[in-house]
Amino acid sequence: MELRNIAIVGAGVMGSGIAQVSAMSGYSVTLTDVSASQLDKAKRFINGGLGKLVQKGKLTPEKVDSILAQIKMNDRLDESVRDADLVVEAAFENLDLKQKIFKDLEKYCKSAAILGSNTSALPITEIASVTKSGNRLIGIHFMNPVPLMKGVEVIQGQLTSNETVETTLGYVRSLGKEPIIAIDYAGFIVSRLLDVLMNEVVKMVQEGNKPEDIDRAMELCAGHPMGPCKLLDLVGAEIAMHGMETMERDFGERYKPHPLLKKRVLAGLLGKKTGQGFYKYE
Ligand SMILES: NC(=O)c1ccc[n+]([C@@H]2O[C@H](COP(=O)([O-])OP(=O)(O)OC[C@H]3O[C@@H](n4cnc5c(N)ncnc54)[C@H](O)[C@@H]3O)[C@@H](O)[C@H]2O)c1
């Protein structure tokens, strides 16, 4: 199946990045969000991202204009996804919300369109269970920051057809990224391991360790490119908390989110998104 039009649902950190890399690879992109102000923010975010590539000599200013012209912003879901050959949903990490979005996508999309979710941890089969489109519903788990991270997990739900998988692998490769097949259990591969690490650092900070020391230890002693406190700030504390909750529900107690992680989410200390997590951001 040939892909030309990509629709992204949810214009937050991930949706903006997925829109940017899709447009850079020549796709016609529609980015939609329930919040019009979020669409403005996404526009600034994508402009900024492309501007950095110009500064590094990786893009010409003319190319930036043509990439931006390929991204349409629209706060109406029905209009945004009507012509899409492939949709990537990147709304909040909440099962009920995602199920509702996919029921709407079934109504508004072409019957052959691939329906992808960028969920970090929710099983694809569970999202698909309220739809009649399990054969074309698939996990396409991009990593943050999308323009920089090379790997993308692709998750085949119980009903996802092999054709959907093949087309999705082609889409991921066309973005210059490498797909990795992950089995459809809560957290897949990456969140199942990283959420546990990020939950643990919350306990370690409560025990008295400084975030700077934890990060330096893991960068200098374990060779991690980014320490886990910086990583939690980048990902967003709420994303890690929801991931842990999904895994606790499916695998039990050992994935319980630490009470302090929940408290930090309630207090709005999400990280870069809110300007403060373990560290402060402009
Ligand atoms: N942040 C990360 O590092 C990361 C990495 C990989 C995957 N993810 C996953 O990607 C998804 C998005 O995460 P994010 O960090 O970009 O979140 P975010 O909070 O930055 O953005 C989510 C956006 O979804 C929008 N939204 C909410 N309901 C909507 C609806 N019904 N229709 C359209 N838009 C709607 C919100 O207005 C918001 O702009 C989540 O499922 C998350 O688990 C996040």
Side-chain angles (χ1 to χ4, degrees):
M1 177 185 168
E2 205 199 331
L3 303 177
R4 259 204 290 264
N5 301 321
I6 308 291
I8 318 292
V9 180
V13 175
M14 296 305 290
S16 307
I18 300 165
Q20 178 184 325
V21 297
S22 298
M24 284 174 68
S25 301
Y27 293 105
S28 195
V29 177
T30 318
L31 182 57
T32 183
D33 200 289
V34 281
S35 147
S37 68
Q38 189 64 34
L39 288 173
D40 289 337
K41 205 168 156 191
K43 206 178 277 178
R44 291 197 298 277
F45 185 85
I46 295 170
N47 264 317
L50 294 173
K52 278 189 205 145
L53 293 175
V54 173
Q55 276 169 12
K56 288 184 190 158
K58 292 187 176 169
L59 269 186
T60 61
E62 299 74 44
K63 187 81 187 130
V64 169
D65 291 341
S66 76
I67 292 169
L68 290 174
Q70 276 163 245
I71 306 176
K72 306 264 178 299
M73 309 263 177
N74 191 332
D75 60 6
R76 288 202 42 180
L77 182 70
D78 54 348
E79 290 174 2
S80 303
V81 302
R82 201 168 39 205
D83 298 325
D85 303 307
L86 182 146
V87 179
V88 185
E89 168 278 318
F92 296 136
E93 184 72 1
N94 175 289
L95 179 63
D96 292 341
L97 174 70
K98 288 192 191 290
Q99 287 183 327
K100 176 172 184 322
I101 291 174
F102 279 93
K103 280 207 263 186
D104 286 342
L105 291 176
E106 267 188 320
K107 263 189 274 170
Y108 302 137
C109 290
K110 297 188 284 196
S111 61
I114 289 181
L115 309 178
S117 175
N118 188 52
T119 176
S120 311
L122 292 162
I124 297 307
T125 308
E126 190 168 9
I127 296 176
S129 65
V130 297
T131 74
K132 295 186 177 62
S133 304
N135 61 323
R136 57 190 177 119
L137 212 151
I138 189 161
I140 317 177
H141 183 201
F142 287 86
M143 306 294 146
N144 186 9
V146 181
L148 297 185
M149 300 302 283
K150 194 99 185 125
V152 177
E153 284 183 303
V154 172
I155 306 104
Q156 181 167 22
Q158 197 67 28
L159 298 174
T160 314
S161 71
N162 290 339
E163 192 192 345
T164 299
V165 175
E166 284 310 314
T167 309
T168 302
L169 294 177
Y171 164 62
V172 171
R173 290 192 185 106
S174 74
L175 305 177
K177 301 199 180 289
E178 289 197 23
I180 297 127
I181 301 280
I183 301 301
D184 189 24
Y185 282 108
F188 319 123
I189 296 173
V190 175
S191 301
R192 177 129 165 219
L193 295 171
L194 284 184
D195 288 355
V196 172
L197 181 75
M198 293 186 285
N199 190 48
E200 198 63 28
V201 295
V202 173
K203 289 186 211 170
M204 291 168 66
V205 171
Q206 195 181 41
E207 286 162 5
N209 288 289
K210 293 198 179 78
E212 298 85 335
D213 291 335
I214 298 174
D215 283 343
R216 281 181 59 242
M218 294 306 280
E219 287 162 15
L220 299 179
C221 307
H224 286 207
M226 175 185 281
C229 298
K230 286 183 200 157
L231 183 67
L232 185 60
D233 277 5
L234 176 72
V235 167
E238 86 290 10
I239 302 285
M241 183 190 78
H242 292 314
M244 292 299 289
E245 285 171 346
T246 304
M247 293 190 286
E248 182 193 13
R249 191 201 63 183
D250 285 10
F251 304 131
E253 205 44 21
R254 71 198 161 111
Y255 288 94
K256 200 176 181 57
H258 191 271
L260 186 58
L261 177 61
K262 291 188 173 178
K263 207 159 52 162
R264 294 181 71 88
V265 172
L266 288 172
L269 300 172
L270 305 186
K272 277 193 166 177
K273 276 179 201 174
T274 53
Q276 179 149 14
F278 284 119
Y279 301 97
K280 279 206 163 88
Y281 302 88
E282 289 303 313

